[in-house]
C-alpha cells in the first residue's frame, strides 16, 4: 500500500473512532433515559431532553446528504428540531419513534462508512462549491465528521444532567 | 512539497482548527462570566462553574507533557480539578488567577504549535509506550488534540448554562 493511502487510513480511523465514541455514548444514554426523564428541562428554563435528543438526531440525519450518503431519511425532523426552538408549539414525535429513527440513520451511516474509499473522505462535502473547495480543501467530508462529533459532545454534556 | 507533507498539513489544519474553535469559545465564555456566575452550580446539584472551568484549564495544562511541550505549568491544579471532586473541601484558586493560568497555557500552546514539524504530530504521545504505539499508530499527538477538543466541547455545553 502506498504511504499516502496508509496515512489517509490512519487519519480516517482517528476521526471515525472519535465520532463512534460520541455516537455510541449518545445511543447508550438515550436508551437509558425514560420518556419522563426526556420530557424534563435539562436545567431550569433550558431545553427539554427530547428537544436536545431530537436535535442531535435531526443533525445526524442532515449529515447523510452532506456526506453524499443519500437524502435525509426523516426530513420532517429539521423543521421541529433545527429550524424551530423547543417551545415553538410544534408537536414532537414520540420518543420511541425518535429512537427508531436514530437506529435507521446509524444503519445507513455504518453501510456507507464501511464501503467508502479512503480518498472519498477528502473530497468536498455537499454544502461547499467546487470553486470554494479548490481554495479550502479542508472543507471535506471528513471535516463534517470532526465538526459533528464536537457538536454531539457539546449536547451530551447537557443530556447527562437528565440522569 | 511532497504529497505526503501536504496531506499531513491538511489533516493537522482540520484538527487544530477544531481545537482553536473550542478553545477560543472557552476563553471568550470564561472572560464574559463574572466571579458570581462562576461560583454557582451549572444545574441544581451539579458542579460549579469554577470547578468546570478549573477542570478544563487543568486538562489543558496536562496536555503540555503529553504533547512533549514541556512540564505542566500549574501542577497544583491536577489535584484540585481532576483528581478531586468539586465539593472535596479543597480550596480553589481565585478566578482571576485561573484566567491568568489559562493565558499562560495558551501562549505555550501557540509557541509550540506554530513551530511543530508536521510529521511530529503523528508521533506517539507521551502516555503511550513505543511498543504499544507500534501496534496502535493512531495514538499520536494529533489524536490528543481531537480527544481534548471533544472533551472541551462537552463541558462548554454545560458552562453555557451559567450565562
Amino acid at each position: 500500500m502506498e504511504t499516502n493511502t496508509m496515512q489517509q487510513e490512519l487519519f480516517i480511523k482517528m476521526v471515525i473512532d472519535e465520532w463512534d465514541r460520541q455516537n455510541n455514548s449518545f445511543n447508550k444514554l438515550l436508551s437509558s433515559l425514560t420518556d419522563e426523564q426526556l420530557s424534563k428541562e435539562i436545567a431550569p428554563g433550558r431545553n427539554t431532553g427530547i428537544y436536545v435528543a431530537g436535535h442531535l438526531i435531526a443533525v445526524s440525519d442532515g449529515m447523510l446528504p452532506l456526506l453524499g450518503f443519500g437524502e435525509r431519511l426523516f426530513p420532517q425532523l429539521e423543521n421541529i428540531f433545527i429550524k424551530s426552538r423547543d417551545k415553538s408549539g410544534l408537536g414532537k414525535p414520540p420518543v420511541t419513534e425518535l429512537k427508531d429513527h436514530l437506529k435507521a440513520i446509524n444503519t445507513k451511516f455504518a453501510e456507507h462508512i464501511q464501503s467508502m474509499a479512503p480518498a472519498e473522505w477528502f473530497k468536498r462535502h455537499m454544502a461547499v462549491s467546487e470553486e470554494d473547495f479548490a481554495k479550502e480543501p479542508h472543507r471535506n467530508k471528513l471535516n463534517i465528521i470532526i465538526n459533528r462529533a464536537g457538536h454531539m459532545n457539546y449536547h451530551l454534556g447537557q443530556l447527562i444532567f437528565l440522569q
Side-chain angles (χ1 to χ4, degrees), chain A:
Chain A
M1 205 184 317
E2 282 183 35
T3 319
N4 255 355
T5 315
M6 279 175 61
Q7 226 178 40
Q8 279 183 338
E9 289 188 354
L10 178 70
F11 189 64
I12 294 164
K13 179 181 167 51
M14 287 160 62
V15 173
I16 299 290
D17 279 1
E18 173 71 9
W19 164 261
D20 281 344
R21 268 192 299 275
Q22 305 325 326
N23 196 36
N24 290 341
S25 294
F26 175 47
N27 280 272
K28 211 172 146 186
L29 182 58
L30 190 59
S31 306
S32 77
L33 294 169
T34 63
D35 290 18
E36 202 207 328
Q37 284 173 310
L38 284 163
S39 71
K40 289 191 178 139
E41 288 177 344
I42 282 172
R46 302 288 171 172
N47 290 329
T48 58
I50 190 168
Y51 180 81
V52 175
H55 175 70
L56 286 175
I57 295 167
V59 167
S60 288
D61 198 36
M63 289 167 69
L64 297 174
L66 278 177
L67 297 170
F69 292 177
E71 291 306 303
R72 279 181 166 82
L73 295 179
F74 311 103
Q76 69 278 16
L77 299 182
E78 191 184 14
N79 193 34
I80 308 172
F81 294 111
I82 299 181
K83 294 188 173 169
S84 311
R85 290 170 168 268
D86 190 4
K87 285 123 192 177
S88 61
L90 289 175
K92 294 185 180 69
V95 173
T96 47
E97 202 177 299
L98 283 176
K99 287 179 179 175
D100 284 345
H101 287 356
L102 180 58
K103 274 186 202 139
I105 296 165
N106 282 334
T107 303
K108 190 100 176 169
F109 268 125
E111 283 168 19
H112 283 272
I113 288 177
Q114 275 163 21
S115 63
M116 195 139 156
E120 190 62 33
W121 282 112
F122 298 93
K123 294 188 179 157
R124 74 183 169 98
H125 66 69
M126 296 319 186
V128 63
S129 69
E130 287 192 35
E131 200 185 351
D132 286 345
F133 184 62
K135 288 175 279 184
E136 303 178 302
H138 62 279
R139 298 175 71 183
N140 53 44
K141 289 175 181 166
L142 201 59
N143 214 31
I144 293 286
I145 305 281
I146 292 180
N147 176 278
R148 297 305 189 274
H151 175 254
M152 189 167 271
N153 238 326
Y154 184 90
H155 290 297
L156 279 177
Q158 302 174 336
L159 280 175
I160 200 78
F161 287 166
L162 294 173
Q163 273 190 332

